[in-house]
Amino acid sequence: MPSITSSDRPRVSARPSGWPVRQTPRWLLLAGVLFLIAAVAVALVHRPSTAERASDMHGFLQEVNTDIESCSGGVGESLTALRAVQAEHFGNSTDVSDGISVATQGAANCAPANNELIDNLESYQVPESLDGFGLVNVVSGLVTWAAADAQRVQTDVARVLSGTTPQARSNAEAALSRDLRTLNAERAAIDTPIARAINALHMQASPPRLAG
C-alpha cells in the first residue's frame, strides 16, 4: 500500500473562517473613559454654590421688579383715584375725569405692545442655577398678572368712574371686585415659589411689589 507523503495530505488553512473580528483599540477605550471623567469633573466644578445662586436670585428679583413696577404702579394709582372719588361720592367732576384718565392710561401701559418692560419680561430667561424653584412659571405668571389681570382691573376702575347711573356703577363695581380677586390670586401664585426660593437660599428679600 503506497505511503502518504506530507505533500499528498490536504492542507488545512491556519486562518480562521468567516469575517475577521476587529478589536477596539485600547487607546480609544481609554479616551472614552477620560472623556467621561472630564465631563463629571466639569459638572462638579460648575455646580453653583448657595452664595452664587443667591446672587442670581437677587438679579432675578431686580429684573422682574424693574419690568413689572410701572404696570403695578398704575394699578395702585388707579385704585387710589377710585377710592378718592368714592369718598367724595363722585362729587368732584375733575377728580372723576382725572381718575378715568389714570385708569385708562394704566391699563394701556400694562400691555406688552405699549410697554417695553413688559415685553422684555415675556422673553426673560431665568438663570439655570435657579432651576427647580419654578421661577419660569413665575415669569409667565407676572406677564399674565400684567397683560390680562391688571388691565381688566384698571378698565373696571374707568367704567366705575364713568358710570352715569347707579346701576351702571354697581355693575362695574361687581366686575371690579371679581377681577381684583383674580388679580390677588395670581399674585399669591407668584409670591409662593419666590418666597420658597428666598427661604431656601437664606436671603433677605421680598417678592415683587404687586398692587391690588
Side-chain angles (χ1 to χ4, degrees):
M1 203 173 163
S3 60
I4 299 175
T5 64
S6 59
S7 59
D8 296 329
R9 294 191 185 113
R11 294 185 178 182
V12 178
S13 174
R15 191 173 184 177
S17 61
W19 293 98
V21 178
R22 284 185 152 186
Q23 293 186 351
T24 303
R26 289 184 178 179
W27 68 266
L28 189 57
L29 292 174
L30 180 60
V33 172
L34 292 175
F35 176 80
L36 290 175
I37 293 174
V40 172
V42 168
L44 292 175
V45 168
H46 286 86
R47 185 174 183 178
S49 66
T50 299
E52 289 170 334
R53 298 177 81 197
S55 177
D56 287 343
M57 188 65 189
H58 274 298
F60 168 83
L61 290 173
Q62 182 177 5
E63 179 68 28
V64 297
N65 263 316
T66 298
D67 289 345
I68 201 66
E69 64 182 353
S70 61
C71 171
S72 179
V75 174
E77 291 173 1
S78 297
L79 293 173
T80 298
L82 174 62
R83 294 181 189 118
V85 171
Q86 288 175 326
E88 298 171 350
H89 303 285
F90 295 84
N92 190 323
S93 60
T94 300
D95 288 348
V96 171
S97 177
D98 289 346
I100 293 172
S101 178
V102 167
T104 302
Q105 291 177 13
N109 194 46
C110 288
N114 300 325
N115 189 332
E116 185 178 352
L117 294 173
I118 303 299
D119 187 50
N120 289 341
L121 190 60
E122 284 190 306
S123 58
Y124 176 70
Q125 298 293 318
V126 178
E128 291 183 6
S129 65
L130 301 177
D131 286 350
F133 289 129
L135 299 181
V136 172
N137 291 335
V138 166
V139 172
S140 62
L142 283 167
V143 174
T144 299
W145 186 93
D149 303 336
Q151 282 184 296
R152 278 196 293 266
V153 163
Q154 292 174 97
T155 299
D156 292 339
V157 169
R159 287 174 178 164
V160 172
L161 292 173
S162 60
T164 56
T165 66
Q167 184 62 49
R169 288 175 185 167
S170 178
N171 292 341
E173 286 170 351
L176 174 60
S177 296
R178 182 183 63 248
D179 291 334
L180 274 173
R181 287 194 295 270
T182 300
L183 186 78
N184 292 331
E186 186 68 52
R187 179 177 57 198
I190 290 167
D191 287 353
T192 299
I194 291 179
R196 189 182 303 122
I198 288 172
N199 290 334
L201 299 174
H202 311 293
M203 297 170 56
Q204 295 294 325
S206 301
R209 296 175 294 274
L210 301 177

